[in-house]
Structures are given as C-alpha cells and as structure tokens.
C-alpha cells in the first residue's frame, strides 16, 4: 500500500532553487502543525540513527500518518529559529514494519475504533503480522481481548474506507487538493470521486462544502480544462455573484459583474457577456432585472441576481403584503379595546407605565398585522415587547417568540417568561434548508414576535414570513443602526425605508435608569457621531496602546486576567473579545490562539485534537461556521456557540454542548466546521449579549473601522465594555459612516416601484 504524494509548492519559499535534491527515509513520529488549506505541514521524524533525536521536516506532507515509514524527496535547509530541517517536495509512504511503528500507526486516530489502548492490545497479539491480519483476515481481530464482533466490524469498515480514501488522495494530491477536502470529496462521490474531479471539476464548488470556485478552478486547470471554456466562465460568473452575496448583496449591477468576472477569469469581455446571456436564458442560472434608482436623479441599473435571492425578494415582498391585507384578524379583540383600561391593567401587572411612544408601539403591534419596533439600547424595546406579550396573553392569544440566535432566544424567554426558540428551530428547518412550516402548513400562532430582527437575512426572513398564517400578527423587533445581517440582504432597513407599507415605531427616549449606564450613554454617543467618554466611568474603559501587537497581547491580559479578577467574572462564560476583523495581530484568529493558551492550556494526560492550524481541547469555547442541517435535532447553524465537553481519540469524535443546551457530536474529519470563539469578529457577535466585552480597536483594522461596527460591539455588553487600542483608531471608527447600502431591491418591491425583467 505504498503511495506517492507530490505538491507543486515546496514548504518554504525560496528554497527550491537552492540546495540539490536529496532523499530522506524516516518514520513519522508526530505532526506539530498542518494547514489544511495550503498543505504546508511541520512534522518530526525519526531517522533511526539512535540517540532519540528527532528531525524537523516541513512541506507537502498532508495525508501522512504517525508511524508510517516515509521516503521523502526534498532539500536540506535551515530555519533561523528551529535550525536544520528538511523541506519536502514529495513523499512515498510505506506501511510500518516494526511493532512499535505499527502500534503508533494504528493508535494515531487513522482508523476509527482503534485508539492507543487497542493499538497496543492488537500489536501485542499479532505482532508484525498485525496489518496483514487487518487487511486479509479481519475477522481474527475478535481474538484480541475486548474486541467484540461490533468493534471488529467497525474497524474493518474504517480500514476499507481509509484504504479507498488513500487511493483517491493519491490522485487528488497530484492536483493539489488538501487532505480534508479529499476526504470530503470521497464522502460525497465515493468511488466516482476521480471521475467527477477529472470530468466535472466545477461541480465540486456547488456540491462540496469548503471548495469554492478558486479551488475547483485550480483542479480544473490541473486536469486540462481550458481557460476559455464556457463551463469555466459560467462557473466564474456564479462564483462572483455568490461572493457578493457573502458580502451582503442580493444582486450585482451587470457592468460590475462583467468587470469582476473578466478580472477573476482573465478572459475577453465578449466571452463573459456571451456566457452571462446563456446563464440568463437558463431558468436555474441567473435573473437580469432593471432596478429603479435609489435617488430621484439616479439612473436605473440592470441587476443580476442568483435565482434563490431573486425568488426570495419576490416572495418576501408578496408575503408581507398578503399578511398586511388579510381579511381575517386573529387578534380582532384589540380593534375596539378600551386602551386606557387595558394599559392601566398592564401598569398594575408590570409595576411600570409605558411612555407615549411605547404605548404607540404596543397598539401598533396588536392592531396591525405586520409591525416593526426599532430603537437603541436603554430606550425600552424589551419592556415594550413584554407589554405586547402580556396583553396578548391576557386575551388568551397563542404567542410564539423567536430570535435568530440561541442566546437572543434565551434572553427573550427570560424577558417574557414564555418559551422562545431560534427561528431555525421554530420553522423546523430540514436537510437542504426546507422548513417544516410554510405557507401550506403555517405556524399555529396568533402573534409571532421576532427579536434581534436586524440579523434576519433575506433567505431566512422569507422562510419565516411564509410560515405566518393569514390573520396572525407579526412583530419584528431590532436595532436598525446595528450591523446588517451576516447573510445577504438588509431586511430590517428595507422594511423601514420610505414607501414601505409596513408600519413602524422608533423608540428614541433613553430612560433615566439607562442614562446612568456608561455602556448605554456611549452607545448613543457613538451612534450620533460623538466620541465615547472613556474616563470617570465604572463600566466603560479605554486601555491606550498604539502598537497593534502589544494591543493584541493587552487584550488577552484584560479578557483572561484583569476583568475576571476585578469584576468576579468567568473568562470563558462571561467575557467576550470582539474584534473588528479576523486577520492581523489583534484579529480574532491570533487572539483565539493566545486566549486558548491563557484560559484552556494544554495539560499532561488530557487528550487534544490538532486539526489544520487549530488544537481542540475539552473546555474550549467554539462556534459553528456553516449551516449544517444534518446535525442535531433541527440542524446546527452558522454562529451557534458552545463548549467542548468531550474528546474521544479512539472513536475520533468531539462533543460540543451548544448555547441551546444541545449536545452535538463532531467526527474528527468535520472539525473544519468549528472555530474557536474566545474571540469572534463583531459581525459574528450579532444577536448575542455578554456581561463584558473587550474590543481591540487598532489602526491595523483601518478599513473595518466604522461607526455601526463599533456601535454593534458596544451594544453587545450588559455590564462592561473595555476598549483596547489607539485613540486615533477609535476616532476613525466613530467618524466613519458605513460606505453605501447593500445592493437589494426589496425596498423597491415593497414600495411598489416596477422592476423590469430582462432577457
């Protein structure tokens, strides 16, 4: 079972043209770092020369397992920090021949069901014949104490799958596909993997999570698909549109799309225009539509939509009008209620009276079938929602409460004393993203209240509104000044736009109790373009540090040590670092590594799992980074946060307890769906609330420093905000208003402005 692996990119730049090629034979002892995206690996090998010294090898080693004998071709080099090392360009694997090597190989996690303990038992029993027995007479494994028929069958199946994957990987790695992606391709296509990769590489971008157009394009070039192939150009156009959707846009102006595609693909403009025409003629391709201008003196633009976003905009605007115009009213009792009596009863029940604008919002929610309630922190949104729910319940109405995230749903439940769920759970989304509740099977509710509605993207909002029964009332609650949704669209803003038929109330008065909070006061100062007050407050601080790297280290110290010590908070549960961006010395990526060292360090004897550049340990705070409808009771969704509660090297499984109190198992080859969450980007924090937030604000994140970003970060805190960084960066963030709206046409559709279809 020897196999050769080649990579077109040597492990370190500038080395390949230097020293002469050499061959090194050694046993792989351990992998200390592996980047699944680039294939770059750092490992320690035993050359068998005695003395116990291990040698460092770097480069293209993805797929190799500890215990394997490797024949590596490469060049000798030297690293200024780590000394002499061997830079691998390609390698051949040979199954280990010694008992020690076999034991290490089997115990490495390669075969599910065999951990270090069973690897030791199996090799003690079969000795150097172990691998031949597993390969040719697997039923004999039952001879090993503790290995029953069930585990034996599992080991046999895992061995066969691993063997098949390895054969597929030989081919895939020859076209520079990393191990994790090779495994995913194999799981998707099985024995047809090589055939699909060779003949239909662009299918990978649509079918396999983690493979975008760029990876599929690289594979396509490696298997000989020409640069000007129409298949490639169409895939590139759809990729450019999906990239724009990831940035929040529901469509792209046609001229910009063509220009982006020419740049991306390196082909003639005429070819791109021809292929765009072919896509527009395909019912499942793209939709071209003339979108009215946003200003009176503006020109209409031709927008190009991916089909799901065009359908969702049409559907959402139509469904909202259907609800608004419904003949029936499931809360008809409120049309002629004695409001002074009702509000008096409410004041006695809650112990507080509503302000005039809160009263207006309560009336609106209970008399109009769709309504929006917006406003900043401290303006009484929560008490207004509680009042709406109390009055509806008093009339025995069926009230359903939901929010986009588990944390926001918990908060809504605590506020109202009624059960609240995430929107995904409420709709019972199924594999593929279809909802159990929709227009044909609506929710059994008289009133549906959705909090944190600024987080609702176009696709989710459409699913939600479809599930509201005609005659039922829908109240959307959120702060429109926060960042828009992570997904495409600006639904809340579009519902509040001029010409929208959806009635709304904006709460503006800050209540006296909230005025005493530095967090609330500064949130409103930031939102109005004023610098926050950073001295003399006991709940809002600025630690000045102009150097970005030092600011990153100081952020970690503040979050892991200083805030917990001074305020009695748990650094994992109560303190959240919110970074403007992922990259850089003060970005969420680097801070996660440092915070993990400080809060959940490695401990002797406790298992951990290295995956790519990350190490997972029990106790780690993690977040899901993709929607996976197959996991859990009703799927696990992008942004779900949890804590690692179990890690089983033998079963190759990690368990996460989510903030919705659900235990979710992850196979080791699924760990690219998880990222550490000690630090998250501000975008990913939407809908969550934390006792304390620590925010690095540095000049290295200059392009991201915008008012709504900082405002969103500050409004995530219940008790305490600590900013770490430079006054210059802070001033830039407050001064900079977000550049431009997202490309959406929902506001035009709601206002009844005509959009013309094009072919």
């Amino acid at each position: 079972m020897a196999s050769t692996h080649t990579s077109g990119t040597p492990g370190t730049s500038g080395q390949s043209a230097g020293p002469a090629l050499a061959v090194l034979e050694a046993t792989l002892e351990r992998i200390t770092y592996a980047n699944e995206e680039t294939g770059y690996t750092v490992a320690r090998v035993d050359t068998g020369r005695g003395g116990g010294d291990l040698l460092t090898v770097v480069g293209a080693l993805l797929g190799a397992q500890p215990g394997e004998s490797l024949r590596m071709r490469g060049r000798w080099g030297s690293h200024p920090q780590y000394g002499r090392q061997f830079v691998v360009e390609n390698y051949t694997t040979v199954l280990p021949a010694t008992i020690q090597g076999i034991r290490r190989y089997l115990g490495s996690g390669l075969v599910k069901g065999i951990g270090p303990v069973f690897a030791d038992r199996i090799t003690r029993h079969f000795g150097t014949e172990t691998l031949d027995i597993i390969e040719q007479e697997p039923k004999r494994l039952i001879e090993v104490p503790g290995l029953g028929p069930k585990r034996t069958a599992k080991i046999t199946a895992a061995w066969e799958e691993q063997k098949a994957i390895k054969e597929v990987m030989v081919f895939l790695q020859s076209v520079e596909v990393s191990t994790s992606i090779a495994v995913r391709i194999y799981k998707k296509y099985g024995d047809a993997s090589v055939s699909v990769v060779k003949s239909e590489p662009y299918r990978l971008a649509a079918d396999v999570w983690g493979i975008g157009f760029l990876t599929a394009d690289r594979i396509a070039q490696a298997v000989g698909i020409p640069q000007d192939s129409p298949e490639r150009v169409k895939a590139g156009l759809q990729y450019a549109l999906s990239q724009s959707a990831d940035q929040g846009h529901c469509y792209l102006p046609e001229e910009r799309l063509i220009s982006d595609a020419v740049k991306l693909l390196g082909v003639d403009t005429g070819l791109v225009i021809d292929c765009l025409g072919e896509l527009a003629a395909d019912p499942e391709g793209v939709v071209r539509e003339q979108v009215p201008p946003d200003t009176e003196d503006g020109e209409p633009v031709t927008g190009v939509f991916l089909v799901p976003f065009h359908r969702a905009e049409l559907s959402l605007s139509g469904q909202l009008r259907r609800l608004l115009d419904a003949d029936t009213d499931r809360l008809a009792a409120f049309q002629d209620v004695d409001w002074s009596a009702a509000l008096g009863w409410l004041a006695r029940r809650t112990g507080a009276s509503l302000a005039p604008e809160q009263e207006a919002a309560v009336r609106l929610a209970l008399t109009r079938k769709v309504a929006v309630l917006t406003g900043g922190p401290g303006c009484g949104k929560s008490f207004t929602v509680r009042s709406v729910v109390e009055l509806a319940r008093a009339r025995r109405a069926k009230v359903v409460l939901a929010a986009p995230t588990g944390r926001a749903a918990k908060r809504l439940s605590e506020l109202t004393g009624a059960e609240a769920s995430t929107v995904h759970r409420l709709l019972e989304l199924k594999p593929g993203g279809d909802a159990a509740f929709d227009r044909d099977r609506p929710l059994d509710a008289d009133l549906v209240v959705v909090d944190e509605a600024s987080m609702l993207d176009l696709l989710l909002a459409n699913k939600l509104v479809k599930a509201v029964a005609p005659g039922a009332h829908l109240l959307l609650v959120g702060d429109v000044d926060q960042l828009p949704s992570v997904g495409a669209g600006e639904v809340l803003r579009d519902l509040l736009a001029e010409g929208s038929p959806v009635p709304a109330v904006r709460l503006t008065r800050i209540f006296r109790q909230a005025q005493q909070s530095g967090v609330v006061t500064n949130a409103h100062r930031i939102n109005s373009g004023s610098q926050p007050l950073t001295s003399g407050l006991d709940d809002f601080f600025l630690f000045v540090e102009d150097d970005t790297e030092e600011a990153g280290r100081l952020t970690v110290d503040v979050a892991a040590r200083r805030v917990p010590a001074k305020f009695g908070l748990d650094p994992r549960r109560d303190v959240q670092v919110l970074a403007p961006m992922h990259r850089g010395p003060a970005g969420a990526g680097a801070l996660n590594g440092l915070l993990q060292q400080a809060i959940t360090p490695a401990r002797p004897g406790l298992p951990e799992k290295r995956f790519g550049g990350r190490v997972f340990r029990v106790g780690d705070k993690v977040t899901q980074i993709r929607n996976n409808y197959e996991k859990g009771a009703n799927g696990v969704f992008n942004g779900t946060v949890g804590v690692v509660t179990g890690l089983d090297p033998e079963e190759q499984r990690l368990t996460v307890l989510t903030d919705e109190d659900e235990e979710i198992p992850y196979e080791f080859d699924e760990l690219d769906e998880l990222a550490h969450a000690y630090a998250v980007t501000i975008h990913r924090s939407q809908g969550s609330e934390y006792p304390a937030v620590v925010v690095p604000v540095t000049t290295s994140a200059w392009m991201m420093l915008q008012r709504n970003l900082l405002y969103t970060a500050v409004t995530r805190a219940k008790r305490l905000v600590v900013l770490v960084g430079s006054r210059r960066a802070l001033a830039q963030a407050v001064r900079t208003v977000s550049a431009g709206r997202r490309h959406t046409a929902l506001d035009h559709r709601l206002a009844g402005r005509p959009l013309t279809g094009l072919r």
Side-chain angles (χ1 to χ4, degrees):
M1 213 164 99
S3 53
T4 304
H5 303 253
T6 309
S7 171
T9 45
T12 52
S13 59
Q15 302 250 6
S16 57
L21 271 176
V23 174
L24 174 68
E25 295 189 1
T27 302
L28 180 59
E29 286 288 321
R30 63 178 180 270
I31 292 172
T32 56
Y33 172 82
N35 186 316
E36 297 286 342
E37 293 307 310
T38 64
Y40 181 74
T41 304
V42 180
R44 301 279 279 166
V45 299
D46 182 355
T47 57
R49 292 190 179 142
D53 289 340
L54 298 181
L55 176 73
T56 297
V57 295
V58 300
L61 277 168
L62 274 177
Q65 298 292 334
E68 283 183 320
S69 300
L70 306 180
R71 182 181 171 84
M72 296 165 280
R73 285 170 57 81
R75 304 169 197 273
W76 289 101
S78 182
H79 188 281
Q81 188 174 346
Y82 303 111
R84 192 165 186 249
Q85 59 185 27
F86 190 75
V87 182
V88 182
E89 294 188 10
N90 58 62
Y91 71 94
T92 303
T93 64
V94 181
L95 286 176
T98 66
I99 290 176
Q100 183 187 0
I102 293 168
R103 187 185 300 124
R104 199 180 302 113
Y105 180 65
L106 288 179
S108 68
L110 171 77
V111 181
K112 192 181 294 186
I114 305 181
V117 173
F118 277 110
D120 186 52
R121 284 191 201 170
I122 294 168
T123 50
R124 277 176 188 274
H125 190 83
F126 293 118
T128 54
E129 294 181 1
T130 296
L131 299 181
D132 289 335
I133 297 289
I134 296 174
E135 175 82 30
Q136 292 159 21
E137 302 176 80
K139 288 181 180 172
R140 285 190 58 195
L141 287 170
I142 203 164
E143 298 172 17
V144 178
L147 281 187
K150 197 172 174 185
R151 190 183 287 271
T152 298
K154 195 173 178 183
I155 290 170
T156 305
W159 179 265
E160 286 302 315
E161 183 184 35
Q162 179 60 35
K163 199 167 62 168
I165 287 174
K166 203 144 196 172
E167 286 164 5
V168 169
M169 275 176 16
V170 172
F171 169 72
L172 292 176
Q173 289 197 332
S174 73
V175 292
E176 297 181 38
V177 175
S178 73
T179 309
S180 64
I181 290 189
V183 169
R184 260 186 253 138
I185 290 172
Y186 181 78
K187 283 192 167 181
K188 179 71 181 174
Y189 304 117
D191 295 339
S193 299
V194 173
S195 161
V196 170
V197 169
K198 279 183 174 175
S199 59
E200 303 174 89
Y202 293 105
R203 255 182 76 185
L204 303 175
D207 291 353
V208 183
W209 183 74
I211 297 187
F213 171 79
L214 297 178
T215 302
D217 196 38
R218 197 175 70 235
I219 294 168
Q221 287 177 16
V223 299
I225 288 178
Q227 188 176 5
D228 60 356
S229 155
E231 180 193 7
R232 175 176 183 261
V233 176
K234 288 180 201 172
L237 281 161
Q238 290 180 307
Y239 168 73
L241 285 173
S242 68
Q243 283 291 97
S244 74
D246 290 344
Q247 291 158 12
H249 300 299
C250 297
Y251 70 85
L252 273 184
E254 186 176 48
E255 287 184 10
R256 180 175 154 192
L257 172 61
I258 292 168
S259 153
D260 287 354
V262 168
K263 206 179 300 177
L264 169 74
L265 299 166
V267 295
D268 291 342
T269 305
L271 178 59
V272 171
I273 292 170
D274 289 345
C275 288
L276 180 57
E278 288 179 32
L279 274 176
D282 179 351
E284 297 302 317
V286 299
V287 176
R288 296 165 72 232
E289 201 170 38
Q290 196 165 75
V291 180
D294 288 319
T295 57
E296 281 186 23
D297 54 351
E299 291 289 321
V301 299
T302 298
V304 184
F305 296 76
L306 286 172
V307 170
F309 296 106
H310 186 258
R311 284 181 184 155
E313 276 199 354
L314 284 174
S315 170
L316 179 55
S317 59
Q319 300 292 344
L320 285 166
R321 289 189 173 279
R322 175 180 68 94
L323 292 180
L324 285 164
D325 299 339
D327 294 332
T328 56
D329 188 347
R330 293 176 68 157
L331 294 178
F334 287 100
Q335 294 300 335
D336 51 9
V337 77
D338 181 342
W339 281 103
S340 60
L343 294 170
W345 172 86
L346 183 68
R348 291 190 296 277
R349 182 166 175 82
T350 61
S353 296
L354 292 166
E357 56 186 16
Q358 290 178 305
E359 278 188 23
V362 169
R363 287 190 188 205
L364 195 69
L366 295 171
T367 59
R368 299 294 296 273
K369 288 159 197 157
V370 183
V372 172
L373 171 61
T374 189
C379 292
K381 285 199 306 296
S382 296
F383 186 63
T384 306
V385 170
R386 181 183 160 194
S387 301
V388 169
V389 172
E390 290 280 5
L391 284 169
R393 276 215 201 113
R395 291 283 178 161
R396 302 191 183 286
K398 290 178 180 173
V399 181
V400 166
L401 306 170
T405 68
R407 287 192 178 210
K410 269 188 181 172
R411 199 166 66 242
L412 185 58
S413 185
E414 289 161 6
L415 166 72
T416 58
E419 187 181 344
S421 70
T422 63
V423 176
H424 296 97
R425 280 184 187 278
L426 174 67
L427 300 178
E428 292 181 17
L429 292 184
K430 297 178 290 192
D434 292 328
F437 293 95
D438 55 20
R439 188 168 178 171
D440 297 326
R441 187 196 173 201
L443 296 163
D444 182 17
D446 303 317
L447 170 65
V448 179
V449 179
V450 182
D451 199 9
E452 295 287 356
S454 63
M455 290 185 68
L456 288 175
D457 62 43
L458 173 66
L459 299 181
L460 186 58
N462 179 45
K463 288 184 173 75
L464 170 70
V465 174
K466 256 197 235 180
V468 179
H473 287 223
L474 172 64
L475 174 62
L476 298 170
V477 184
D479 185 347
V480 75
D481 293 323
Q482 288 183 19
L483 289 168
S485 56
V486 174
E490 275 188 301
V491 173
L492 190 62
R493 191 177 294 276
D494 284 341
L495 293 180
L496 292 166
E498 189 181 343
S500 168
V502 179
V505 169
R506 181 168 191 143
L507 303 179
T508 55
R509 175 187 157 192
I510 307 173
F511 287 88
R512 188 180 306 142
Q513 186 181 353
Q515 288 173 359
Q516 296 164 4
S517 160
V519 174
V520 170
T521 301
N522 277 331
H524 285 278
R525 286 180 66 88
I526 290 164
N527 201 31
S528 65
S530 301
Q531 290 295 315
L533 305 171
T534 56
S535 59
L537 299 172
D538 58 8
D539 63 350
F540 200 103
F541 302 90
L542 170 64
F543 284 71
V544 177
E545 176 52 70
D546 290 334
D547 180 80
T548 299
E549 288 199 23
E550 283 302 320
R553 283 192 280 271
L554 181 55
T555 298
V556 172
D557 189 44
V558 167
R561 189 176 65 83
R562 297 194 199 190
V563 166
K566 183 172 174 60
F567 295 94
L569 298 173
D570 182 295
R572 187 186 288 107
R573 185 185 65 240
D574 301 328
V575 184
Q576 184 63 55
V577 174
L578 301 179
M581 57 195 292
H582 184 76
R583 292 180 179 168
L591 294 178
N592 263 317
L594 295 171
L595 285 161
Q596 185 192 36
Q597 287 173 29
I599 297 170
T600 318
R603 288 190 172 90
L606 288 181
E608 56 181 44
K609 172 60 182 172
R610 185 175 295 278
F611 189 92
R614 303 185 184 117
V615 178
F616 292 97
R617 302 182 182 120
V618 170
D620 271 340
K621 186 175 179 179
V622 293
T623 181
Q624 174 82 7
I625 57 174
R626 67 170 286 223
N627 288 345
N628 187 333
Y629 298 97
E630 312 283 346
K631 282 203 165 296
N634 291 109
V636 183
F637 300 94
N638 189 359
T640 300
V641 175
V643 173
V644 177
T645 54
L647 202 159
D648 188 336
E650 196 166 287
E651 292 300 320
Q652 295 184 51
R653 187 177 296 125
L654 176 149
T655 307
V656 174
L657 179 66
T658 72
D659 55 9
E660 295 174 55
D661 297 321
E662 185 178 11
E663 284 215 321
I664 305 291
Y666 289 81
E667 304 299 322
F668 280 176
D669 60 15
E670 297 176 314
L671 293 183
D672 51 357
E673 295 188 19
L674 288 177
H676 291 103
Y678 299 99
V680 298
T681 61
I682 296 167
H683 278 88
R684 292 190 71 82
S685 74
Q686 288 171 265
S688 294
E689 193 175 67
Y690 316 95
V693 302
V694 182
V695 188
V697 186
T698 66
T699 51
S700 69
W702 195 258
M703 297 303 292
M704 295 296 293
L705 296 177
Q706 295 175 354
R707 187 181 300 168
N708 62 349
L709 190 84
L710 183 60
Y711 173 73
T712 300
V714 169
T715 56
R716 298 306 88 212
K718 281 194 281 194
R719 286 174 50 189
L720 174 71
V721 172
V722 183
L723 306 179
V724 180
S726 75
R727 293 187 189 279
R728 180 167 167 249
L730 178 58
Q732 166 73 3
V734 173
R735 187 171 57 239
T736 307
V737 178
S738 175
R741 290 281 309 275
R742 292 178 168 188
H743 293 300
T744 80
L746 180 63
D747 54 344
H748 298 299
R749 297 185 203 280
L750 286 169
R753 301 181 196 114
L755 280 77
T756 312
L758 302 168
R759 281 293 179 198

